Amino acid sequence: MKYKNTVEKWGMFEAACEGKTEGNPFRDFTISGSFRGEKEKVEAEGFYDGDGVYKVRFMPSFEGKYSFCIRGTFSDEIYEGSFLVTAPSKENHGPIRTANTYHFAYEDGTPYYPVGTTCYVWELQKDEKVIQTLESLKEAGFNKIRFCILPKHYDYNLGEPRSYPYEGTPMDSSILTEENFREYTGKTEGNCWDFERFCPEHFQNIENCILELQKLGVEADLIVMHPYDRWGFSRMTREQDDLYWNYVISRFSAFRNVWWSLANEYDLLDCKTQEDWEHYGNLLCQKDACGHLRSIHNCRPFYDYSRPWITHCSIQRQDLYKTAEMVQEWRIRYRKPVVLDEIAYEGNLPLGWGNITGEEMVRRFWEAFLRGGYAGHGETYWNPQGVLWWSHGGRLLGESWKRVRFLHKIMCETPGIGLKFKEMERDDICAVPEDFTLAQKTGYHLFYYSFMQPCFEKFYFDEDTEYQVEVIDTWNMVIENAGKFKGKFTIKLPGRQYMAIRIRKASQVV
């Protein structure tokens, strides 16, 4: 048995044991671990990692000494030992949890404001492209990325992945073109897979990518199932699905930066039922000992986000033009954080969802944030190389990511955790801290003018309090100190779109 004697809090402890190889180790044998510390006891299932090696993983939530016991049908032996959990490193704040009903925070209480992007199969590209994507993520400052565990077959993404999740042989993809690809969607002819034998190298590569994201402070929002398929992975039986789900949970749940998305556009998976999704959600609740965030993404109809196993809403746009404007309604309906994981993409594809401007993408981010929710980025600029960020990663070609990074800095300066919409008798959008006490104490107001372009704005809060006022150009990324004011006052604006004003009690501004 191999394991490290020390691991940091919210790090990953792993024990690797040699075991039986006859038959089908992925299906025929079990391995599990019991982990006991002074403040917690956790049971975790393990998995077969190939070459006669079985592994069990565990994320400790407390410092101190832990003991463990590993057993199962994989071996006639029972393995026992102990390890020490040390203090977390500086950048390790733990897994993300929901906070203040509608928002997020790391487990140590540090606020977390998601500014995510989508790159469906970036980790299934060649090493050079994977490294390029990681460099772009670091530069852009995104702190969440949505991507698939399974390969993807869709417009502008017809190439073969670097690996497959199962042992077997794929269909001949040389017959695929952008014109005929839909003809092969959902077909299984020409594929030959053993859905009871995983390819460990496929999952090991994903784990390496999750760890690289962790170093950058980026959450890995794993899409477990999706309908964009020519290999047959979307049409497995319930028994095959269960084997897959158990394998995925046991491999990935000990990484602190993992989120679970049961599916992308779940309603397009016509061979899965409501009962199937409830079953998968319950599996996560039962077997993910770390309790990571869980949701499911829609194409047209919403899933019922009030279901108890769902921690937050993961929403695709409901209107070609309007989605962020509906955040307040969904907060009231579901009383959970609202994440708009797909609000269309900055780009120039001949598709309505793939050709909004950078300005419009940034506007939707600001609209969502001031209404108490969070938007997600995506980019679909066509290029001769056929590499689109939305699917392959690589280099960002657009302009919105720079302004999203600028917005995130403003998000992190919010008093407390999160904003909420405040009704005002005016045409702009106003947000205040979610925490009423902090709102009163700080006098924090953030006004956003969207596509409107006033040349001045008048304010009045009270006669005695002095307020510090800043004018924010959200596109040119400039914050101008407009001065300090009492009573009734007027703030000049440049008369152009995408401006904002931030107002705080002067006594609260450092």
Side-chain angles (χ1 to χ4, degrees), residues 300-333:
R300 298 179 184 90
F302 279 4
Y303 202 85
D304 180 5
Y305 291 113
S306 64
R307 296 296 299 150
W309 58 266
I310 295 178
T311 58
H312 65 285
C313 305
S314 173
I315 291 175
Q316 180 170 194
R317 69 198 182 285
Q318 291 294 284
D319 180 275
L320 189 59
Y321 306 102
K322 183 175 68 174
T323 293
E325 293 83 351
M326 300 166 73
V327 165
Q328 298 143 260
E329 174 188 332
W330 296 328
R331 278 173 44 118
I332 293 169
R333 185 188 307 175

Side-chain angles (χ1 to χ4, degrees), residues 31 61 72 125 154 172 178 223 233 331 337 413 416 505-506:
I31 180 172
S61 297
Q125 310 305 308
Y154 198 68
D172 178 10
E178 292 292 349
I223 299 168
F233 305 139
R331 278 173 44 118
E413 295 168 351
K505 288 183 179 179

Side-chain angles (χ1 to χ4, degrees), residues 48-331:
Y48 182 61
D49 200 32
D51 297 324
V53 176
Y54 293 76
K55 292 181 177 179
V56 182
R57 292 170 173 169
F58 165 63
M59 185 193 76
S61 297
F62 300 93
E63 297 174 37
K65 186 176 181 180
Y66 279 74
S67 61
F68 68 87
C69 176
I70 295 175
R71 66 183 72 204
T73 61
F74 79 100
S75 173
D76 296 329
E77 294 186 51
I78 295 177
Y79 298 89
E80 295 182 322
S82 63
F83 58 96
L84 182 66
V85 179
T86 61
S89 53
K90 182 180 179 182
E91 302 302 323
N92 175 5
H93 300 288
I96 306 295
R97 310 299 189 195
T98 59
N100 275 8
T101 305
Y102 305 103
H103 306 285
F104 301 98
Y106 293 94
E107 192 156 298
D108 71 355
T110 303
Y112 170 80
Y113 295 102
V115 285
T117 188
T118 294
C119 293
Y120 284 119
V121 284
W122 72 278
E123 87 287 11
L124 299 184
Q125 310 305 308
K126 293 181 179 179
D127 285 347
E128 180 184 6
K129 190 64 62 183
V130 168
I131 292 170
Q132 199 176 65
T133 302
L134 291 166
E135 291 172 348
S136 296
L137 286 171
K138 182 177 181 179
E139 181 182 10
F142 291 119
N143 60 17
K144 184 170 84 75
I145 181 170
R146 301 173 62 237
F147 61 100
C148 304
I149 297 172
L150 301 171
K152 179 187 178 187
H153 166 78
Y154 198 68
D155 280 311
Y156 309 101
N157 190 83
L158 303 183
E160 297 297 331
R162 66 185 289 161
S163 62
Y164 301 94
Y166 294 96
E167 292 185 7
T169 306
M171 67 178 289
D172 178 10
S173 62
S174 65
I175 59 177
L176 294 170
T177 66
E178 292 292 349
E179 289 71 31
N180 74 359
F181 92 96
R182 292 190 187 278
E183 178 184 344
Y184 292 90
T185 300
K187 289 189 175 182
T188 59
E189 295 88 346
N191 292 299
C192 183
W193 304 109
D194 185 342
F195 290 120
E196 294 186 344
R197 287 185 179 272
F198 297 101
C199 178
E201 292 80 5
H202 178 86
F203 297 91
Q204 290 163 2
N205 171 62
I206 294 175
E207 290 167 355
N208 291 335
C209 290
I210 293 172
L211 283 174
E212 290 302 313
L213 293 172
Q214 190 178 104
K215 294 175 186 177
L216 297 177
V218 179
E219 301 294 302
D221 195 350
L222 300 179
I223 299 168
V224 185
M225 306 182 93
H226 65 73
Y228 328 111
D229 178 38
R230 67 171 181 263
W231 301 278
F233 305 139
S234 65
R235 296 182 176 275
M236 296 189 294
T237 66
R238 167 64 76 84
E239 185 178 2
Q240 292 165 345
D241 281 347
D242 279 0
L243 192 66
Y244 168 63
W245 273 95
N246 281 302
Y247 195 70
V248 164
I249 294 169
S250 61
R251 288 203 75 120
F252 298 142
S253 62
F255 292 87
R256 65 174 174 269
N257 60 319
V258 158
W259 296 28
W260 299 111
S261 178
L262 270 70
N264 205 73
E265 298 190 329
Y266 81 94
D267 47 308
L268 300 187
L269 280 150
D270 55 10
C271 57
K272 307 302 178 190
T273 66
Q274 177 86 10
E275 195 276 329
D276 286 325
W277 299 120
E278 290 297 302
H279 173 68
Y280 305 143
N282 288 329
L283 274 181
L284 279 173
C285 292
Q286 295 166 15
K287 299 195 174 187
D288 173 12
C290 302
H292 291 296
L293 296 174
R294 303 174 296 270
S295 195
I296 185 168
H297 173 270
N298 68 292
C299 178
R300 298 179 184 90
F302 279 4
Y303 202 85
D304 180 5
Y305 291 113
S306 64
R307 296 296 299 150
W309 58 266
I310 295 178
T311 58
H312 65 285
C313 305
S314 173
I315 291 175
Q316 180 170 194
R317 69 198 182 285
Q318 291 294 284
D319 180 275
L320 189 59
Y321 306 102
K322 183 175 68 174
T323 293
E325 293 83 351
M326 300 166 73
V327 165
Q328 298 143 260
E329 174 188 332
W330 296 328
R331 278 173 44 118

Side-chain angles (χ1 to χ4, degrees), residues 362-433:
V362 175
R363 185 194 72 82
R364 295 181 187 194
F365 263 83
W366 274 83
E367 290 269 0
F369 180 55
L370 268 77
R371 296 176 189 277
Y374 303 95
H377 165 273
E379 186 182 289
T380 49
Y381 281 106
W382 186 89
N383 57 80
Q385 294 74 37
V387 177
L388 282 68
W389 173 267
W390 143 88
S391 203
H392 309 95
R395 294 294 185 202
L396 286 156
L397 305 177
E399 292 295 321
S400 63
W401 64 267
K402 304 169 189 175
R403 283 80 186 175
V404 171
R405 183 179 60 189
F406 176 74
L407 170 60
H408 185 251
K409 181 178 182 296
I410 293 171
M411 288 176 166
C412 292
E413 295 168 351
T414 300
I417 300 176
L419 294 181
K420 64 180 177 181
F421 179 79
K422 181 179 180 180
E423 295 285 351
M424 303 284 287
E425 292 183 2
R426 49 200 303 156
D427 295 326
D428 51 21
I429 306 166
C430 178
V432 296

